[in-house]
Amino acid sequence: VNPERSPRHGPALGVDIGGTKVLGVALDADDEVAAEARATTPHSGIFDPNDPAAGDGAAAVAGAVAEVVAALRRATDDDGRAPVGVGVPGMCDRQGVLRFAPNLAAASGADIAALLAERLPDTILVIENDATCAAVAEHRLGAAAGDENVLLVTLGTGIGGGVISEGRVLLGASGFAGEIGHMVVDPAGPPCPCGRRGCWERYASGGGLARLAREAAYAGRLPAVVEAAGGDAEAVRGEDVTKAALAGDPGALGVMEDLGWWVALGLTNLTAVLDPARIVIGGGLVEVGELLLTPTKKAYAEQVEGGRRRPDVAIVPAALGERAGAVGAALTARDRR
Ligand SMILES: [Zn+2]
């Protein structure tokens, strides 16, 4: 974000295409959220090419975005002049084509910009990676306000990343920078929807917690949690573990320690490349708060290169919650209009 090119005024709309929901916000001229709208993400998750609606996956997603934009325009009496930013999950190029989206296979490869231009004629549209949008929002208005070197990590279904380097958004040659969830941390690890094995997001996301939980359950480390799940280790879910850990169950606390170790492994690798002053952690998983942050910070301090010889890196929860991506999409649209 180049502040000299950023007219930091005027309303803007932002829409975040998530794994389960499409969430939109209207920002007023003071960056306050004036309206919110949402829809269910069509064809979410792993897409079945044999589904009769297969070819319509991306079109349906674009339709949901247009529906949310229409609702925001109605709610704010916008005549269509406010620019619209759209955050998309995956590798989005500078022309607005979602080249690859392992966690939203229905829209993978789709020309999102063209599909939206058909549905939202005469609209200023900006398409950007969702986690990059969240980084912009947290940097401008949230947990990293005032920091010039920021890494934002969203721990949800998968892992998203956004980087602010010396005050500017890092996009890379094609716009694909920040695909941090697909750094391989174990080449012999479990398969990932991206086609490789042992990606960081197989360990340090919501899905990763579920896997660590089942492993601990089979190993007999979670007797109380397994009993509460009806005696079936396979039925143990991530939220069963966080609930038990909040209640002080030692086995569940051990799983959270393991999870924190995996989160820290990726964060220390990224620190070696980026040298951030602050790491902001967002996404559904951070809602458990210190239960995750405390073991993450401990493992980070033990693993990071230079240890105590380097200044402390602040590891903090995101401040804007589930709206971060949509707010950042709106800010990005206003910046680049
Ligand atoms: Zn992967």
Side-chain angles (χ1 to χ4, degrees):
V1 177
N2 179 345
E4 283 158 31
R5 279 181 48 211
S6 306
R8 294 185 63 176
H9 54 79
L13 309 184
V15 182
D16 182 10
I17 304 174
T20 55
K21 65 178 178 295
V22 177
L23 174 63
V25 299
L27 285 193
D28 67 15
D30 299 317
D31 292 341
E32 297 291 335
V33 173
E36 186 189 287
R38 54 180 80 207
T40 302
T41 304
H43 308 293
S44 60
I46 306 300
F47 197 50
D48 176 5
N50 297 318
D51 184 327
D56 301 331
V61 170
V65 172
E67 188 188 303
V68 166
V69 168
L72 293 172
R73 284 175 171 167
R74 282 195 301 273
T76 57
D77 291 325
D78 174 55
D79 56 8
R81 261 186 294 185
V84 176
V86 180
V88 296
M91 293 166 58
C92 174
D93 72 18
R94 288 163 189 261
Q95 283 70 46
V97 178
L98 185 55
R99 296 286 183 135
F100 186 52
N103 292 320
L104 187 62
S108 192
D111 188 340
I112 299 290
L115 290 169
L116 286 175
E118 277 173 33
R119 289 161 179 79
L120 299 167
D122 304 316
T123 300
I124 296 166
L125 276 168
V126 176
I127 322 289
E128 182 58 273
N129 173 267
D130 54 359
T132 297
C133 291
V136 168
E138 294 290 343
H139 176 236
R140 189 82 63 80
L141 305 171
D147 281 297
E148 296 297 279
N149 290 283
V150 180
L151 166 65
L152 173 124
V153 180
T154 56
L155 307 178
T157 313
I159 298 179
V163 178
I164 308 290
S165 182
E166 299 182 0
R168 300 174 60 140
V169 185
L170 188 75
L171 294 176
S174 304
F176 302 158
E179 282 291 298
I180 60 178
H182 301 283
M183 298 188 301
V184 170
V185 293
D186 180 1
C192 181
C194 78
R196 299 172 84 196
R197 283 184 169 272
C199 289
W200 186 33
E201 72 172 38
R202 298 271 64 78
Y203 298 87
S205 63
L209 172 61
R211 206 177 55 78
L212 290 173
R214 279 193 302 274
E215 275 177 16
Y218 279 115
R221 287 165 55 201
L222 293 172
V225 177
V226 173
E227 201 189 314
D232 179 7
E234 193 59 36
V236 171
R237 297 162 308 159
E239 54 259 47
D240 298 328
V241 169
T242 52
K243 219 168 88 184
L246 280 168
D249 180 273
L253 286 167
V255 172
M256 295 308 291
E257 292 242 339
D258 292 348
L259 178 66
W261 187 91
W262 283 107
V263 174
L265 176 67
L267 296 184
T268 53
N269 286 346
L270 290 161
T271 296
V273 180
L274 299 167
D275 186 20
R278 183 171 289 251
I279 298 174
V280 179
I281 303 190
L285 209 47
V286 81
E287 281 165 25
V288 300
E290 286 306 317
L291 206 52
L292 172 65
L293 289 173
T294 300
T296 298
K297 288 186 229 181
K298 177 171 164 277
Y300 181 91
E302 287 164 3
Q303 293 181 41
V304 72
E305 184 197 5
R308 289 188 187 152
R309 291 165 191 263
R310 66 186 302 148
D312 281 343
V313 177
I315 300 177
V316 300
L320 299 173
E322 66 168 358
R323 285 175 170 175
V327 169
L331 293 171
T332 300
R334 190 196 282 154
D335 288 345
R336 295 205 206 136
R337 65 187 300 175

